[in-house]
């Protein structure tokens, strides 16, 4: 076993000890009524991220249901076996429950370490350093997710990173507008500011930039609507040019609309200059001969498309 694997196993042992070593009160009826589903099964994948997530889920499940303390260690081993499938499940049947097993009495801590040694190859585990270097900021997930990814991947590296290196990578990994904002406007310094302060100020600046971006996008949409006339209702004016045959015609953009007049409005416009639509030729006659015709295409839905 290499020093790298030994370091990771020590961390898993410490994590298990801190999570479930101390006994707790029995789970009350309110906990049992929650009916929390058990962790997703680990299937023996050679992937430290999947294995790490399985360990976290099962430890959380043990704490919720009070499967803690030395006296419940045997129960933890059995419950863990129920959360193993495929290659990992076969290994558990052979190494933990089989009458021919080599180790007669297993602890949960030893079980976690044995699963790691059996299924996580050292080359896969050592990819943590490479994954850490490739950690990138995502505008969709935000600064907090970026920082959490950094911490999680740094924790799997053989040589723990110092705080300065973490702060430097975090600031350098931010978009230029965000990094400049916190450094110039907030007075943040990689050398002198704590990581908690840097993260808090970056989140505030991130929220402010998003609000500005949303406001600019809204204004741009409004400007485009004003430029095209879309969504702006045209005033309907009763005039000799747009009334006739019991209908009123009004224009929006390059479209001529037709609207039926009430009896009172019809009587009011009967004495005015006629304006008729020639449906057969696709024209609208405003009166006064051929020069009063506006050529276009008439739609039976009540609109006249000008040419």
């Amino acid at each position: 076993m290499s020093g790298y694997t030994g370091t990771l196993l020590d961390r898993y042992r410490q994590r298990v000890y801190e999570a479930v070593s101390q006994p707790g009160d029995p789970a009350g009826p309110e906990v049992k009524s929650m009916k929390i589903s058990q962790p997703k099964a680990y299937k023996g994948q050679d992937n430290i991220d999947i294995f790490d997530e399985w360990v976290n889920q099962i430890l959380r499940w043990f704490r919720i249901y009070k499967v803690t303390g030395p006296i419940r260690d045997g129960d933890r081993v059995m419950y863990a076996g129920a959360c193993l499938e495929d290659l990992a499940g076969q290994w558990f049947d052979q190494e933990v429950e089989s009458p021919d097993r080599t180790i007669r009495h297993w602890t949960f801590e030893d079980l976690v370490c044995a699963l790691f040694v059996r299924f996580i190859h050292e080359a896969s585990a050592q990819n943590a350093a490479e994954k850490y270097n490739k950690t990138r900021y995502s505008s969709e997930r935000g600064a907090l997710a970026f920082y959490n990814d950094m911490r999680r991947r740094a924790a799997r590296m053989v040589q723990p990173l110092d705080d300065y290196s973490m702060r430097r990578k975090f600031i350098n990994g931010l978009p230029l507008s965000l990094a400049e904002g916190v450094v110039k406007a907030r007075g943040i310094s990689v050398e002198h500011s704590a990581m908690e302060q840097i993260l808090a100020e970056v989140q505030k600046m991130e929220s402010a930039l998003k609000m500005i971006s949303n406001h600019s996008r809204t204004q741009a949409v409004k400007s485009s609507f004003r430029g095209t006339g879309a969504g702006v209702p045209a005033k309907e004016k009763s005039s000799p040019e747009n009334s006739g045959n019991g209908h009123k015609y009004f224009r929006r953009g390059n479209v001529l609309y037709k609207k039926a007049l009430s009896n009172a409005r019809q009587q009011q416009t009967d004495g005015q200059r006629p304006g008729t639509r020639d449906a057969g030729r696709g024209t609208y006659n405003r009166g006064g001969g051929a020069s009063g015709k506006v050529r276009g295409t008439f739609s039976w839905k009540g609109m006249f498309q000008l040419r």
Side-chain angles (χ1 to χ4, degrees):
M1 180 186 303
S2 68
Y4 175 76
T5 301
T7 300
L8 291 181
L9 293 181
D10 289 341
R11 293 177 185 174
Y12 278 116
R13 291 183 186 277
Q14 183 67 22
R15 192 186 306 179
V16 171
Y17 176 81
E18 293 176 355
V20 298
S21 63
Q22 300 301 319
D25 297 331
E30 70 282 355
V31 175
K32 296 179 181 179
S33 63
M34 293 172 65
K35 297 181 180 179
I36 299 175
S37 58
Q38 68 180 27
K40 294 181 180 180
Y42 175 64
K43 301 179 180 181
Q45 301 97 317
D46 183 14
N47 187 313
I48 192 171
D49 291 332
I50 295 176
F51 180 79
D52 205 53
E53 180 63 21
W54 177 78
V55 173
N56 290 335
Q57 288 183 7
I58 202 166
L59 288 176
R60 188 180 305 117
W61 193 83
F62 287 157
R63 289 197 302 270
I64 292 174
Y65 285 101
K66 312 298 183 182
V67 190
T68 57
I71 197 172
R72 302 297 304 274
D73 198 58
D75 295 333
R76 289 194 288 270
V77 172
M78 291 298 101
Y79 291 154
C83 298
L84 299 173
E85 293 180 355
D86 296 348
L87 293 176
Q90 296 172 15
W91 177 90
F92 184 87
D93 293 340
Q94 180 65 34
E95 299 295 333
V96 180
E97 291 190 325
S98 173
D100 300 330
R101 62 186 182 275
T102 303
I103 301 175
R104 306 305 299 177
H105 301 287
W106 284 84
T107 66
F108 177 71
E109 186 179 293
D110 291 337
L111 176 65
V112 170
C113 293
L115 283 168
F116 182 90
V117 172
R118 170 61 182 82
F119 294 106
I120 306 300
H121 295 97
E122 185 169 336
S124 299
Q126 288 180 343
N127 288 336
E130 182 179 353
K131 291 180 179 179
Y132 174 82
N133 293 329
K134 292 182 178 180
T135 305
R136 296 291 183 268
Y137 172 87
S138 169
S139 58
E140 296 180 355
R141 303 179 64 212
L144 181 59
F146 175 47
Y147 174 66
N148 288 335
D149 288 344
M150 287 176 50
R151 285 191 58 189
R152 184 178 65 256
R153 292 168 181 174
R156 296 169 185 160
M157 299 170 64
V158 178
Q159 183 64 38
L161 294 174
D162 57 273
D163 292 340
Y164 175 77
S165 298
M166 289 282 290
R167 296 195 300 266
R168 185 178 180 85
K169 177 173 176 57
F170 181 73
I171 291 294
N172 290 340
L174 297 175
L176 183 59
S177 58
L178 195 54
E180 283 188 344
V182 295
V183 171
K184 295 180 179 179
R186 302 291 186 177
I188 291 297
S189 169
V190 175
E191 289 76 14
H192 303 102
S193 302
M195 188 66 229
E196 292 76 11
Q197 180 187 2
I198 294 176
L199 182 59
E201 294 296 343
V202 167
Q203 288 182 288
K204 291 178 184 178
M205 184 62 65
E206 190 176 43
S207 299
L209 291 177
K210 285 183 179 179
M211 291 178 61
I212 294 173
S213 176
N214 292 337
H215 179 73
S216 301
R217 190 179 301 112
T218 302
Q219 294 301 316
V221 172
K222 289 182 179 179
S223 299
S224 65
F225 268 89
R226 285 195 295 266
T228 59
V232 180
K235 293 183 179 180
E236 301 177 13
K237 297 181 180 180
S238 178
S239 67
E241 290 188 20
N242 61 12
S243 300
N245 289 343
H247 297 87
K248 179 174 69 173
Y249 294 85
F250 57 95
R251 178 174 174 175
R252 290 181 182 174
N254 65 340
V255 179
L256 195 64
Y257 292 84
K258 178 183 70 174
K259 181 179 180 181
L261 292 173
S262 63
N263 291 335
R265 295 290 300 276
Q266 174 62 29
Q267 293 174 3
Q268 181 181 354
T269 58
D270 280 342
Q272 297 177 348
R273 185 158 46 99
T276 60
R277 173 183 55 79
D278 189 342
R281 290 183 293 173
T283 61
Y284 172 68
N285 189 344
R286 298 184 297 177
S291 61
K293 292 185 179 181
V294 180
R295 299 194 61 82
T297 304
F298 182 84
S299 169
W300 289 108
K301 294 183 180 179
M303 63 178 65
F304 188 80
Q305 181 71 38
L306 299 179
R307 292 182 180 175

